[in-house]
Amino acid sequence: METYKLLLFLAAVIIEGNAAMINLAGGPKSNYTFPKNFLFGVSTAAAQIEGAWNEDGKSESIWDHLIHTNPSFVKDGSNADVAADSYHLYKRDAEMVHELAVDIYRFSISWPRVLPTGLANYVNPLGIQYYKNLIDELIKYNITPMVTIYHWDLPQKLQDIGGWTNAHIVDYFTDYAKVLFDNFGDKVKYWVTFNEPMQTCLEGYGGTYRAPALNRHGVAEYLCTHNLLKAHASVYHLFDTNYRSLNGGKIGMSLDSNWAEPKTNTPSDREAAELYLRTHVGWYAHPVYSAEGNYPPELIKLVDEKSRLQNYTRSRLPKFTPEEVAFIKGTADFFGLNHYTTYLLSMADKEVGAIPSHENDVGIVRVQDPKWPSRSSSSWLKVVPFGFRRLLKWITKTYNNVPIIVTENGYADFSGIDDAARVSYYSHYLNALLHAIHEDHSNVHGYFAWSLMDNFEWDDGYVSRFGLYLVDFKSPNKTRTAKHSAKLYASVVTSRGLPPDYDPEDFTAFSGASLLMPTVLPLIPLYRLMV
Ligand code: PNW
């Protein structure tokens, strides 16, 4: 009797678990393959891998400064002073990219390494030489370099004078980009002006989660975005006018976006999900990629209205002049997308977030389904492949079939070579991508895995590991070893498709405490009633 009930209970758990899983897939099993000229790559960022934070003339970045002055900011008490030591180990890095058989490597250049004062009065020759060496090493293996001009490491000297809230940064950033185009433009064919500007402005200026952790919400995130979008456009025009004809090449921006799924199928939740996309990724994408340009009209209306009610003299959202709208519109050859996970959206029925803040201005509520698999070291990283597919379709439709390059996608765990969960994550997300390309005709031209190797994961330090290669941070030479996921990725790149044993409905790699607990917990009272 007891055994019978226990079996019933277990069956209920399995059925419940599976029911939750099945509809997560990005599409059924197929024989789809990636187009011949589809670009495969891997991504990293200077502040997360280089180390050598004060070597050979490099000055302090806002991340160095934040960590050094506030060591408890990083959960494991670590810092990025040495990180994966790529400043000295770049030859091994290039060899790893080569082992993965990918076409292209996306890395970022450290502004304070190249321009220690932040300004172009002094160009650090050793900084320039480091990136020349790295680029030549990549080209030796026939790997195309893609450079991110800004991946969060502003020179602290520029932060001291307001950073991205200082309108002069448009000129400073343009001068910096000119130094890069002059020195590397003959060999670098892909440029990304900004990595995830929303993280910089919303979390760094409006919050405390990213450097410079200013927390001046409601005002600073809008100022930061305003200057940053002008800086992006200015660098695009510099490239387009003076460098494109010399060297060819493409330039774009990488925006971070979750997929937003309505929490329930009501008109109000559907509106909340659309509003989330328009006021988050759209905050940056609408000015650059839409036919009209400018901030999304929804955001303008919300911030203007709230500001008026809150007794501000003028809207907290600065306005672009018609000339500025035209200057920013259309300033990208591709849409770089960084995507990791999905959220459920509904309208807020009361004030949300700090007052004032972007969150409060927008007024929607974002949660995740506890049944979604995860077990990731990054608690926000739920595995929802269908969200990736829907997001690609939304971007293709909303921004007039813009060419998309997925510049980041990946999964974090607590370490180990045998990384079955990461293997499963990549398989599911690449399956969703194949369906996006072949079924939905989403205009995707490339895909980069985040990340080539374990690295300094910002406030998570070295606890959260995103690498295809394991880095032994305790070893003096930061030994790098391929994980199982590196082999999976290399096989996808080489075969242009998923391995024959891939099963779109198998999410067991993510089962374990954090997956089963939310499924099992509500069933325990039921089980108690039965026995
Ligand atoms: C990106 N989200 O950040 C960054 O570009 C990388 O430097 C970072 O290491 C990586 O992803 C992993 O965290 C993210 O809102 C920012 O879901 C935001 C989100 C995800 C990643």
Side-chain angles (χ1 to χ4, degrees):
M1 197 58 186
E2 287 290 285
T3 341
Y4 158 76
K5 281 178 179 167
L6 186 70
L7 281 176
L8 241 178
F9 163 71
L10 283 176
V13 169
I14 290 162
I15 289 164
E16 234 253 26
N18 278 342
M21 308 294 85
I22 283 168
N23 47 22
L24 291 172
K29 201 167 169 75
S30 73
N31 291 322
Y32 290 140
T33 54
F34 288 97
K36 232 209 200 107
N37 54 356
F38 189 85
L39 281 176
F40 277 109
V42 275
S43 289
T44 59
Q48 294 177 273
I49 63 167
E50 282 180 7
W53 78 278
N54 63 353
E55 235 177 284
D56 289 348
K58 177 181 170 295
S59 72
E60 202 181 38
S61 75
I62 53 174
W63 276 92
D64 297 325
H65 186 79
L66 176 67
I67 300 164
H68 292 158
T69 53
N70 183 6
S72 63
F73 181 86
V74 184
K75 285 178 196 135
D76 60 358
S78 65
N79 60 49
D81 292 0
V82 180
D85 201 21
S86 286
Y87 188 67
H88 300 108
L89 300 174
Y90 67 90
K91 288 192 176 164
R92 172 67 180 131
D93 294 353
E95 182 184 56
M96 281 146 44
V97 181
H98 172 65
E99 285 168 9
L100 290 170
V102 297
D103 316 288
I104 183 162
Y105 178 48
R106 171 178 177 251
F107 60 96
S108 80
I109 289 183
S110 160
W111 188 343
R113 190 178 297 289
V114 169
L115 301 181
T117 69
L119 306 179
N121 62 311
Y122 171 66
V123 182
N124 177 16
L126 295 173
I128 296 290
Q129 195 55 50
Y130 169 66
Y131 295 108
K132 283 201 163 152
N133 294 344
L134 170 61
I135 290 165
D136 286 343
E137 195 67 17
L138 293 168
I139 289 173
K140 188 178 102 186
Y141 290 111
N142 208 13
I143 300 160
T144 305
M146 177 191 253
V147 166
T148 308
I149 300 175
Y150 186 77
H151 197 128
W152 306 0
D153 46 355
L154 189 73
Q156 178 59 32
K157 286 184 200 305
L158 294 184
Q159 192 58 51
D160 294 341
I161 52 170
W164 292 104
T165 63
N166 179 345
H168 292 284
I169 197 139
V170 179
D171 293 335
Y172 306 157
F173 183 69
T174 311
D175 295 345
Y176 162 52
K178 183 173 186 301
V179 170
L180 304 193
F181 295 151
D182 284 336
N183 281 283
F184 312 120
D186 55 337
K187 294 179 179 169
V188 172
K189 297 300 164 214
Y190 286 88
W191 299 90
V192 173
T193 54
F194 286 97
N195 179 70
E196 304 187 352
M198 189 167 61
Q199 295 296 314
T200 296
C201 295
L202 188 60
E203 309 292 352
Y205 285 75
T208 56
Y209 177 48
R210 311 286 191 193
L214 275 190
N215 209 20
R216 298 300 296 268
H217 40 79
V219 176
E221 65 270 51
Y222 295 121
L223 267 184
C224 166
T225 300
H226 206 67
N227 293 324
L228 189 148
L229 284 168
K230 288 190 202 176
H232 160 82
S234 165
V235 166
Y236 172 88
H237 288 297
L238 171 71
F239 179 82
D240 198 47
T241 315
N242 297 334
Y243 294 90
R244 198 194 286 280
S245 59
L246 282 180
N247 310 309
K250 292 188 190 306
I251 186 164
M253 173 159 53
S254 288
L255 303 181
D256 53 315
S257 188
N258 305 304
W259 171 243
E261 187 69 13
K263 190 169 180 208
T264 65
N265 196 19
T266 58
S268 159
D269 287 3
R270 288 206 300 270
E271 191 191 328
E274 184 70 19
L275 185 61
Y276 176 85
L277 294 167
R278 293 196 176 267
T279 55
H280 287 77
V281 68
W283 186 5
Y284 300 88
H286 200 273
V288 174
Y289 297 101
S290 74
E292 316 81 82
N294 205 356
Y295 291 121
E298 298 86 346
L299 185 68
I300 297 177
K301 190 162 167 262
L302 285 164
V303 187
D304 286 2
E305 246 169 57
K306 279 260 172 168
S307 303
R308 195 172 46 77
L309 291 172
Q310 290 161 345
N311 209 25
Y312 287 91
T313 312
R314 62 189 66 82
S315 177
R316 287 178 282 99
L317 182 74
K319 295 293 163 355
F320 291 124
T321 63
E323 292 73 32
E324 287 168 342
V325 169
F327 184 72
I328 295 168
K329 198 178 74 171
T331 53
D333 302 318
F334 60 88
F335 188 120
L337 170 69
N338 294 356
H339 174 76
Y340 290 87
T341 195
T342 287
Y343 283 84
L344 297 173
L345 275 297
S346 53
M347 286 292 181
D349 51 12
K350 51 179 193 300
E351 298 273 350
V352 287
I355 301 175
S357 65
H358 176 267
E359 186 186 356
N360 182 261
D361 290 334
V362 175
I364 50 187
V365 180
R366 192 182 87 156
V367 295
Q368 286 178 310
D369 187 335
K371 282 192 205 121
W372 286 341
S374 173
R375 223 173 57 158
S376 172
S377 49
S378 292
S379 56
W380 49 268
L381 214 167
K382 306 284 184 209
V383 185
V384 192
F386 75 75
F388 185 30
R389 179 173 170 187
R390 290 183 191 176
L391 178 62
L392 292 168
K393 190 174 175 179
W394 185 88
I395 293 170
T396 299
K397 182 189 81 189
T398 308
Y399 303 113
N400 316 306
N401 207 35
V402 61
I404 301 170
I405 298 179
V406 178
T407 40
E408 287 182 23
N409 175 241
Y411 180 83
D413 63 15
F414 292 99
S415 192
I417 302 283
D418 183 359
D419 56 342
R422 181 173 294 99
V423 168
S424 183
Y425 181 95
Y426 277 120
S427 306
H428 285 312
Y429 275 71
L430 288 163
N431 178 55
L433 178 55
L434 279 171
H435 284 80
I437 295 170
H438 293 279
E439 298 272 325
D440 308 337
H441 307 290
S442 291
N443 195 13
V444 191
H445 292 249
Y447 174 94
F448 290 65
W450 180 273
S451 179
L452 172 60
M453 67 190 121
D454 293 338
N455 56 56
F456 178 73
E457 178 52 20
W458 311 111
D459 62 312
D460 278 340
Y462 300 98
V463 173
S464 209
R465 307 286 194 110
F466 273 93
L468 293 169
Y469 278 76
L470 183 120
V471 175
D472 180 358
F473 290 104
K474 294 205 179 77
S475 68
N477 46 3
K478 310 290 174 204
T479 312
R480 288 117 152 93
T481 314
K483 301 181 188 179
H484 291 182
S485 56
K487 303 198 167 125
L488 177 268
Y489 192 47
S491 91
V492 171
V493 172
T494 316
S495 72
R496 316 305 283 181
L498 289 164
D501 61 349
Y502 165 67
D503 175 0
E505 283 171 17
D506 183 359
F507 284 78
T508 48
F510 309 99
S511 48
S514 66
L515 163 68
L516 271 180
M517 284 325 273
T519 320
V520 172
L521 284 177
L523 289 171
I524 288 175
L526 251 179
Y527 174 65
R528 291 252 165 80
L529 274 179
M530 286 162 70
V531 291

